[in-house]
Amino acid sequence: MPKLVFSRHGLSEWNALNQFTGWVDVDLAPEGVEEAKEGGRKIKEAGIEFDIAYTSVLKRAIKTCNYILEESDQLWVPQIKSWRLNERHYGALQGLNKKETAEKYGDEQVHIWRRSYDTLPPLLDATDPGSAANDRRYAMLDPRDVPGGENLKVTLERALPFWQDEIAPALKDDKTVLVAAHGNSLRALAKHIEGISDDDIMDLEIPTGQPLVYELNDDLTVAKKYYL
């Protein structure tokens, strides 16, 4: 039975400051480092042995992946990094304080921007100094693929080819897979894996640093789901 483990990165510096983060490459907060290490210890206690690990190109996810593998004595496991596993791009909201943004635009509007499946945030122009178009880690991408902002629907559309081309074939080959990524990229993949509706996905929250285990059938439908 194929086994898939999701781990949302530990608490980041901007999580701690209640700021929209998205594609901004912020580091883990000290609490986030401990969360990631504890996730690795839980994986070791559960006896889960990985064959391959996938993560994004953002340091908070990469470091979480490393801490998990180190604490579970599996740092040798091959890792593949992809921008397709990045957090949802929050557009012009990136860097703003969530509470202050709610005071300016209203709680309901900010809730829609954060949780709606198909509503885009205010977009970030490609000429903005903070645009990913200026970041060399995305230089290989078609400029049309560099987002100015994403909703969960667009995040899933971006992540799904990586699932189909990389993660799903590994699982079908009976490999045990770790995906250390972000709240929204993991929510998007969970929506696909679990068949969650557009409305119900708004209520799905994946905690930081807590491994989520899927035991899958041969057709990659979910046989069992649980947190460690």
Side-chain angles (χ1 to χ4, degrees):
M1 179 175 284
K3 187 171 289 183
L4 170 66
V5 178
F6 280 175
S7 182
R8 180 182 174 186
H9 64 77
L11 188 80
S12 76
E13 293 173 338
W14 280 16
N15 289 148
L17 293 172
N18 200 31
Q19 291 175 232
F20 289 99
T21 308
W23 281 31
V24 181
D25 197 16
V26 303
D27 210 339
L28 292 173
E31 302 97 312
V33 171
E34 289 308 310
E35 286 179 332
K37 289 181 176 180
E38 178 61 18
R41 289 190 285 268
K42 288 179 178 177
I43 284 166
K44 183 177 181 178
E45 289 170 7
I48 297 174
E49 297 182 341
F50 298 114
D51 298 295
I52 192 163
Y54 300 98
T55 189
S56 74
V57 296
L58 299 171
K59 70 178 72 171
R60 58 193 186 273
I62 295 168
K63 288 187 174 183
T64 296
C65 188
N66 289 340
Y67 283 127
I68 288 171
L69 294 176
E70 184 172 18
E71 291 297 320
S72 61
D73 294 328
Q74 301 182 78
L75 200 51
W76 60 272
V77 168
Q79 295 181 47
I80 295 176
K81 302 178 181 73
S82 174
W83 69 278
R84 291 188 179 275
L85 293 177
N86 277 13
E87 175 60 296
R88 167 192 170 186
H89 195 299
Y90 270 105
L93 299 177
Q94 294 185 162
L96 299 182
N97 180 274
K98 294 173 185 176
K99 183 175 183 293
E100 292 172 359
T101 305
E103 290 170 354
K104 181 175 181 178
Y105 295 102
D107 289 336
E108 184 177 355
Q109 179 61 71
V110 171
H111 181 73
I112 290 170
W113 281 334
R114 291 186 66 191
R115 308 302 294 185
S116 169
Y117 180 60
D118 56 7
T119 300
L120 287 168
L123 299 183
L124 188 68
D125 193 272
T127 61
D128 190 286
S131 171
N134 303 314
D135 191 322
R136 74 184 186 95
R137 83 191 78 187
Y138 308 113
M140 83 296 282
L141 301 183
D142 186 312
R144 292 171 296 183
D145 289 333
V146 178
E150 297 174 311
N151 51 39
L152 194 64
K153 181 175 184 290
V154 174
T155 304
L156 176 57
E157 290 169 353
R158 177 246 292 169
L160 200 54
F162 191 76
W163 168 266
Q164 294 168 335
D165 295 343
E166 294 282 348
I167 302 174
L171 291 166
K172 288 180 178 178
D173 197 29
D174 207 28
K175 289 184 167 68
T176 298
V177 172
L178 169 65
V179 181
H182 307 263
N184 284 298
S185 54
L186 294 178
R187 286 176 66 232
L189 290 176
K191 183 183 191 302
H192 174 71
I193 296 165
E194 298 183 43
I196 301 170
S197 71
D198 294 357
D199 291 333
D200 289 344
I201 194 62
M202 291 182 69
D203 298 322
L204 177 65
E205 182 70 24
I206 297 176
T208 56
Q210 188 172 356
L212 169 58
V213 182
Y214 290 99
E215 294 181 4
L216 303 172
N217 298 309
D218 289 341
D219 62 357
L220 303 189
T221 55
V222 178
K224 190 177 180 181
K225 169 188 174 182
Y226 54 93
Y227 283 98
L228 296 179

